[in-house]
Amino acid sequence: MAEGDDIYTGDETVDIDKKPANKEKTGNWKACSFILVSECCERLAYYGMGANLVNYLAERLNQGNVAASNNVMNWSGACYFTPLIGGFVADAYLGRYWTIVIFSIIYFSGMTLLTLSSSIPELKPWCNGDVCHATQGQVAVFFVALYLIALGSGGIKPCVSSFGAD
């Protein structure tokens, strides 16, 4: 072993510049906080939104219970299928860190669009008493937001755990 080799991790781990990782500057709480915050936000958003999604689809978008449940299950299935895409992108092209960053931005964009679709009057279905009416455009914006969230989830789920393990 040459002089100065003991400052590196020794397990072929590299830093963001693809150089051998320095033991003193790699990982620790800086990386842990990034992992915990991204995973916590992703899970809270997913389960918090998913719990009310059938009700929103049935009441605000005038879908029957069967159609609303079917749409939620399709979206949930997409959330659990897209990690195959995210894992491939991370392994073949971007690496875990950049995959998490880029797909977190996609996830955040989907959550923002979903929030806007239920708050801005032009994007929100209008209601007359208990009956709501949504235009095709409003429904389209809502589902684009949902599937952006599914895509963003696909980049976070396969990468965060293994990133944390490293």
Side-chain angles (χ1 to χ4, degrees):
M1 216 158 76
E3 180 74 25
D5 281 347
D6 59 341
I7 65 168
Y8 299 111
T9 58
D11 61 358
E12 298 182 23
T13 304
V14 294
D15 62 13
I16 197 165
D17 298 319
K18 306 286 187 210
K19 296 178 183 172
N22 185 328
K23 287 181 192 176
E24 294 181 12
K25 296 180 182 177
T26 301
N28 298 326
W29 284 105
K30 185 171 140 184
C32 184
S33 62
F34 171 71
I35 293 164
L36 290 174
V37 167
S38 65
E39 185 66 15
C40 181
C41 289
E42 193 266 337
R43 294 287 83 202
L44 284 173
Y46 175 83
Y47 287 112
M49 179 189 51
N52 300 310
L53 201 50
V54 172
N55 289 337
Y56 186 84
L57 289 170
E59 293 175 12
R60 299 293 177 175
L61 298 183
N62 272 336
Q63 295 183 352
N65 283 335
V66 173
S69 295
N70 189 30
N71 281 325
V72 171
M73 293 311 291
N74 289 339
W75 171 73
S76 183
C79 287
Y80 285 101
F81 174 75
T82 55
L84 296 172
I85 297 166
F88 174 74
V89 168
D91 288 345
Y93 299 107
L94 298 176
R96 286 180 305 226
Y97 176 79
W98 287 111
T99 301
I100 293 169
V101 169
I102 291 169
F103 281 77
S104 292
I105 292 168
I106 293 169
Y107 197 104
F108 182 76
S109 299
M111 288 300 289
T112 302
L113 185 59
L114 189 68
T115 301
L116 294 175
S117 76
S118 64
S119 12
I120 293 180
E122 291 80 17
L123 297 176
K124 182 169 86 170
W126 61 275
C127 298
N128 185 10
D130 289 341
V131 179
C132 295
H133 306 282
T135 65
Q136 292 290 341
Q138 292 168 336
V139 173
V141 168
F142 180 81
F143 279 103
V144 165
L146 272 185
Y147 283 94
L148 276 174
I149 292 168
L151 181 62
S153 177
I156 296 170
K157 280 182 182 146
C159 297
V160 169
S161 298
S162 60
F163 191 70
D166 283 350

